[in-house]
Amino acid sequence: MSVDLEKILRPIDHDLAPYEPKYMMLASGEAVVVRQVFRDEIPDLLKHVEPLIHVERDFYDVVAARVYAELLGYYKHRFQDQYVLALQVDGELAAIVNGREVKPGLGLSLHTLALRRGLRIGAHGFAAKMEYHIDTLGHDEVLIVAESPIGFRRWMIEYKLEKRFDIPHELGGVPSWALTRELFDRARSKLVVGRRPVPPALLEKAMEKILPPSDPPTPPLDPLAATRALYDPTATALVQQRWEMEKGAGNA
Amino acid sequence: MRDVYVAGIGITTFTRLEYPLVEIASYASMMALKDAGITEVDQVYVANMGAARLNHQTALASAVTDSLSLLPAGAAAIENGPASGAAAIKAGFQAVASGMDDVVLVAGVERMREVNNLEATDFVATLTHPLAEYIYGVTLPALAAMFARLYMDKYGVTERHLAMVGVKNQNAALNNEWAHLQQAITLEGILDSPEAMTNNPYVADPLRFFDACPVSDGGAAIILVSKEKAQELGRPMIRLSGIGQATDTHAVFEREEPTDLLAVRKAAHDAYQMSGLSPEEIDVAELHDAFTILEIAQSEEVGFFPKGEGHIALEKGETALGGKIPINVGGGLKGRGHPVGATGVAQAWEIVTQLRGDGGKRQVEGARTGLTLNFGGFGNNVVCLTFVRED
């Protein structure tokens, strides 16, 4: 008897309603388009996410590594009911947000990864995905965690999220926070923006190709600087570490 | 009193710097020493406001002097709130002008991003009156907002004027590789578009997000020398020609007319008098735009425009590069950033850069005189400096 193992391993995705694209103006005066990205475009995203795994700053390394795994899992049919939204400025990738439906009525936010900083692009992306959960998918609640202090300020504080600490979040098993429909409605006028429909030329540019980010986050000049500054301002630990390495290499 | 010249300048990128405070100060200082072509100094002054509180470090000047191998030079740290930088320059000037020293290093440094934004805001608020202001929760954005509201009511300044300062200075920073903010903004994006209120929310009404300077880390340094030493070193002869410093009431509410920045007026007056310059003779200026309203108000108080007409000059483009008196062409505090202890020194760095003709895309053509205004407290301790190129 032959067994098609792929049928067992591959999750059965439910049909999630499509996200209707929108656009908004940034502080720079540029228009950013938010649109859904489907499986066939995931490889285009992966190549722009991978470099951020090596950016040891603001938890870009952790977030990018996880986003990479989530997108790859989605691409290779190993992640159930995931959706991905991209934010593009003139075709350039500016942010990726993703999440999934846990069950009818309950959503789960995965990640918000800003590839261009200083213009609330990440915040606009997060608002767009919450809008998708609450307004389009009809979720009553979205489970959320933050991996960075910036995320905590943007989500937990700005949206005044409720604690759901009894629910371990799928990201690392840490206690969850929740955005309810009521909280979202309260935040809507201040934090959720965007215009529909997207002018055809803008949308066409976004759909044509996902262009690489022109100014992505980069690692600190000295990769040890963060550690040294926080834990070892006199660099004695660093010196000690080098001595140990030299000893290990038989140079002592 | 001997004449005092700026023989060297240095600066670090203003941003979040994940380096120890002493390293930041030392890096800027090394640049300044190299620029001047010297390896020894008589005296070191280090301007800083928050090392003890934010970075758990005291006796900063001793640490910086040792780090730079400048021993056995004399060393002292100067804390004078956000006017620490220019106050340290004043101390350096006095040391050289008096004949006590021939070569003085003045460094300014701050590392504010080591703490979170709430702690940083609280730290800066400690410069307010402890009993009349701080205990009621006053912050600098709140004081600036009340000041802005009064200014708007009295002189017709609008939110658009404030945004125009923000756009002018943040976009000017794009021509300054050392500046913190490297992101262009537009009036449409921060004021007029349907998304503007989200892009640029109120921080303290009527001030919005883009009306405030960022919280930055950074260091800057200058080398002050006697005339003989300056001639020997052969660098452009930039003379520190005027210094004025003045104070005002600690609590803002005690001022008879809070929209009058009397300490700014007095400091500028004294600097002009000492240098023999008039406001009309200044080619380029660095004003303390920690909040956009301050650039407008200070541009009047230092005598560039009549009281209440700074915003009109702004509208006409008179304060932009190419205008009658270009202000903050390197981004100012708004675009370059505001590591509080470093700011006064960074302002001097910008003016010396301009007077040397090294401003690149932001160069004010033919600039030979410059002015800096370092605004401490909420205008209760102000230092104004003037510089003249002589050769």
Side-chain angles (χ1 to χ4, degrees), chain B residues 308-384:
Chain B
E309 294 184 19
H311 63 293
I312 297 166
L314 171 78
E315 274 178 8
K316 293 178 182 167
E318 291 181 3
T319 57
L321 189 62
K324 179 183 154 195
I325 170 66
I327 295 172
N328 292 330
V329 292
L333 284 62
K334 168 75 187 91
R336 183 180 54 232
H338 184 27
V340 284
T343 283
V345 184
Q347 290 177 314
W349 172 88
E350 176 65 35
I351 292 299
V352 173
T353 299
Q354 288 288 333
L355 301 193
R356 285 179 174 183
D358 293 338
K361 287 182 184 172
R362 66 179 192 280
Q363 178 64 44
V364 175
E365 208 174 323
R368 297 195 61 87
T369 58
L371 173 145
T372 68
L373 189 92
N374 198 189
F375 186 83
F378 197 80
N380 58 35
N381 196 323
V382 178
V383 184
C384 184

Side-chain angles (χ1 to χ4, degrees), chain A residues 159-178:
Chain A
Y159 286 84
K160 300 181 173 62
L161 299 188
E162 291 179 5
K163 292 171 182 171
R164 294 286 183 276
F165 285 3
D166 53 325
I167 305 174
H169 197 280
E170 289 178 13
L171 292 179
V174 299
S176 296
W177 298 70

Side-chain angles (χ1 to χ4, degrees), chain A residues 70-178:
Chain A
E70 289 154 10
L71 296 180
L72 193 59
Y74 173 51
Y75 182 62
K76 296 202 168 182
H77 296 275
R78 291 297 182 273
F79 212 114
Q80 186 148 20
D81 292 332
Q82 187 183 164
Y83 68 87
V84 182
L85 307 180
L87 285 81
Q88 291 168 272
V89 178
D90 209 19
E92 278 184 23
L93 185 62
I96 300 167
V97 296
N98 64 342
R100 73 181 207 89
E101 182 174 74
V102 178
K103 60 183 181 182
L106 182 65
L108 184 132
S109 173
L110 287 166
H111 282 101
T112 299
L113 181 62
L115 288 93
R116 193 169 157 191
R117 308 186 70 182
L119 290 169
R120 278 191 75 89
I121 289 176
H124 285 318
F126 181 84
K129 74 170 165 173
M130 292 306 123
E131 184 186 33
Y132 181 53
H133 278 286
I134 303 287
D135 291 350
T136 307
L137 300 180
H139 293 158
D140 298 315
E141 200 161 294
V142 187
L143 298 175
I144 299 165
V145 289
E147 283 142 332
S148 72
I150 295 172
F152 189 86
R153 285 202 296 274
R154 284 276 185 258
W155 330 141
M156 281 64 182
I157 295 178
E158 287 195 5
Y159 286 84
K160 300 181 173 62
L161 299 188
E162 291 179 5
K163 292 171 182 171
R164 294 286 183 276
F165 285 3
D166 53 325
I167 305 174
H169 197 280
E170 289 178 13
L171 292 179
V174 299
S176 296
W177 298 70

Side-chain angles (χ1 to χ4, degrees), chain B residues 228-240:
Chain B
E228 295 71 27
K229 190 71 184 177
Q231 287 167 332
E232 180 192 318
L233 293 170
R235 301 296 287 141
M237 295 293 282
I238 312 291
R239 185 161 65 89
L240 176 46

